[in-house]
């Protein structure tokens, strides 16, 4: 990334940035990152981490430089080193394997994902078939499906999937992935209730506070913006949902970018107003870096669009264990 040209900035009209808040790290991500750092401090390097601890390339590379080794398969974690389970949660088979091999396992699964695991197990124990609203192959979905015997949980990805489910006399319940679009999920739940009026479900959908708050803030900032920029990685479900939310809320264009270095700055050349947010796994430094670079191109006027304040902190699994 070239250094911003401050002289060029002075000759261009100002650009308004609607800075959406809340944005960036949620309590589950902060806890997961802290857990890896604490495990490294306690046991020394290397510490193995099952799956990317959170879906952000910058977070993963920083922890890798500190001595974290990310593996997809527990078989690649040696028996004499601790292993941290990522924030997305893991299927029961992975927990069983860690126990069978006597690994020191530190579980950084977000408590709000654990809540969905518990709901799933409770429904199965009550004899209900579970419909999981979520996206195929996302690690959280794999982890939640893996709380029940094979075939006991059916994935529902859309309203259309819900309408095409075969009729059944079985008792049913639904749970959801935590990082979905609030609006789309409402439609899927309505379709399920329409098909199966007796279906059991949570009092509120399982979409977490951080996902809902970030989407609400993006909605408030997006209308009429020439461009909406979401800082986050393409593997991050909640970040991808923020891009969709911005477009649905009226932004002319919306893009996801890992950071200022990989952003296509031409997109800002003709824009007068842009929205800016960051997914729940994206560090705030990346937002600051983006604004700094933009300030080198154009005079920046920041408008804060804050729709909620957050003060949730989750205790670390280390403290829970002590
Ligand atoms: Fe937990 Fe929600 Fe953050 Fe995921 S996005 S880690 S469910 S708080």
């Amino acid at each position: 990334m070239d250094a911003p040209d401050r002289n060029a900035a002075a000759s261009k009209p100002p650009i308004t940035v609607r800075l959406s808040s809340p944005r960036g790290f949620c309590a589950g991500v902060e806890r997961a990152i802290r857990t890896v750092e604490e495990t490294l401090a306690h046991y020394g390097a290397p510490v193995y981490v099952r799956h990317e601890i959170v879906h952000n390339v910058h977070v993963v590379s920083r922890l890798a430089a500190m001595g974290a080794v990310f593996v997809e398969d527990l078989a690649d974690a040696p028996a004499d080193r601790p292993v941290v389970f990522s924030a997305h949660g893991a299927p029961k088979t992975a927990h069983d394997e860690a126990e069978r091999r006597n690994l020191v396992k530190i579980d950084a699964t977000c408590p709000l994902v654990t809540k969905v695991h518990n709901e799933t197990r409770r429904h199965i124990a009550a004899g209900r078939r579970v419909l999981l609203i979520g996206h195929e192959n996302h690690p959280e979905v794999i982890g939640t499906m893996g709380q029940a015997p094979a075939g006991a949980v059916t994935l529902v990805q859309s309203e259309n999937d819900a309408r095409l489910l075969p009729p059944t006399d079985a008792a049913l319940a639904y749970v959801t992935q935590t990082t979905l679009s609030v609006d789309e999920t409402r439609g899927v739940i309505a379709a399920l209730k329409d098909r199966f009026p007796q279906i059991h479900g949570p009092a509120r959908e399982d979409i977490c506070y951080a996902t809902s708050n970030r989407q609400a803030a993006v909605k408030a900032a997006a209308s009429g913006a020439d461009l909406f920029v979401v800082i986050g990685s393409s593997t991050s479900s909640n970040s991808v949902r923020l891009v969709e939310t911005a477009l649905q809320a009226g932004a002319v264009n919306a893009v996801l970018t890992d950071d200022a270095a990989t952003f296509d700055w031409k997109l800002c050349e003709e824009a007068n107003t842009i929205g800016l947010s960051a997914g729940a796994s994206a560090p705030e430094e990346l937002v600051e870096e983006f604004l700094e670079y933009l300030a080198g191109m154009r005079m920046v006027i920041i408008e804060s669009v804050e729709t909620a304040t957050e003060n949730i902190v989750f205790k670390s699994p280390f403290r829970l264990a002590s």
Side-chain angles (χ1 to χ4, degrees), residues 48 50 71-79 83 94 97-98 100-101 103:
Y48 284 72
R50 183 188 178 278
V71 295
E72 289 306 313
D73 189 343
L74 270 193
D76 297 326
V83 62
E97 183 184 346
R100 189 173 42 74
R101 289 182 56 206
L103 300 180

Side-chain angles (χ1 to χ4, degrees), residues 19-20 22-24 214 218 228-231 242 275-279 287:
L19 191 54
S20 166
R23 63 176 174 278
R214 279 149 192 69
V218 164
F228 205 104
V229 179
V230 176
I231 297 185
L242 292 181
L276 182 60
S277 182
V287 174

Side-chain angles (χ1 to χ4, degrees), residues 1-20 225-231 255 257 259-277 285-303:
M1 184 171 60
D2 297 330
D5 178 353
R6 310 236 166 234
N7 293 331
S11 65
K12 291 189 177 154
I15 185 167
T16 299
V17 177
R18 293 185 193 148
L19 191 54
S20 166
D226 301 310
L227 173 70
F228 205 104
V229 179
V230 176
I231 297 185
V255 290
T257 186
D259 48 34
T262 52
F263 181 66
D264 178 2
W265 286 99
K266 283 196 205 76
L267 293 172
C268 283
E269 278 173 7
E270 303 301 322
N272 294 317
T273 301
I274 70 168
L276 182 60
S277 182
E285 301 92 85
L286 300 177
V287 174
E288 284 161 19
E289 186 191 72
F290 184 93
L291 287 170
E292 197 180 314
Y293 191 88
L294 184 60
M297 289 173 60
R298 307 267 295 269
M299 186 183 152
V300 174
I301 301 167
I302 293 185
E303 276 178 12

Side-chain angles (χ1 to χ4, degrees), residues 24-32 53-54 87-88 108-114 116 140 177-179 206-212 214 238 279-281 312 314:
F25 280 1
C26 61
V29 161
E30 277 177 355
R31 174 186 188 258
I53 185 72
V54 299
H88 316 95
T109 303
C110 175
L112 301 181
V113 174
T114 302
V116 180
E140 185 185 323
Q177 189 180 332
T178 56
T179 51
D206 301 303
I207 295 173
C208 74
Y209 81 95
T211 298
S212 311
R214 279 149 192 69
N238 79 85
S281 44
I312 295 177
F314 292 139

Side-chain angles (χ1 to χ4, degrees), residues 150-179:
V153 179
T154 303
L155 185 62
V156 177
Q157 300 199 74
S158 63
E159 245 180 272
N160 200 38
D161 276 6
R163 301 208 180 279
L164 292 176
L165 285 167
T168 177
D169 291 331
L172 295 178
Y174 72 84
V175 296
T176 80
Q177 189 180 332
T178 56
T179 51

Side-chain angles (χ1 to χ4, degrees), residues 8-119:
S11 65
K12 291 189 177 154
I15 185 167
T16 299
V17 177
R18 293 185 193 148
L19 191 54
S20 166
S21 178
R23 63 176 174 278
F25 280 1
C26 61
V29 161
E30 277 177 355
R31 174 186 188 258
I33 295 169
R34 201 165 67 238
T35 301
V36 177
E37 290 166 349
E38 286 172 347
T39 310
L40 281 162
H42 187 79
Y43 292 95
V47 158
Y48 284 72
V49 183
R50 183 188 178 278
H51 194 68
E52 290 185 347
I53 185 72
V54 299
H55 284 155
N56 185 271
V57 288
H58 290 272
V59 171
V60 166
S61 352
R62 183 178 72 79
L63 293 173
M66 290 168 70
V69 179
F70 295 90
V71 295
E72 289 306 313
D73 189 343
L74 270 193
D76 297 326
D80 60 346
R81 298 305 306 161
V83 62
V84 179
F85 278 28
S86 80
H88 316 95
K92 201 172 164 309
T93 48
H95 290 278
D96 292 346
E97 183 184 346
E99 267 152 46
R100 189 173 42 74
R101 289 182 56 206
N102 267 331
L103 300 180
V104 172
K105 179 189 79 173
I106 296 117
D107 188 1
T109 303
C110 175
L112 301 181
V113 174
T114 302
K115 175 175 155 279
V116 180
H117 289 184
N118 293 341
E119 279 170 37

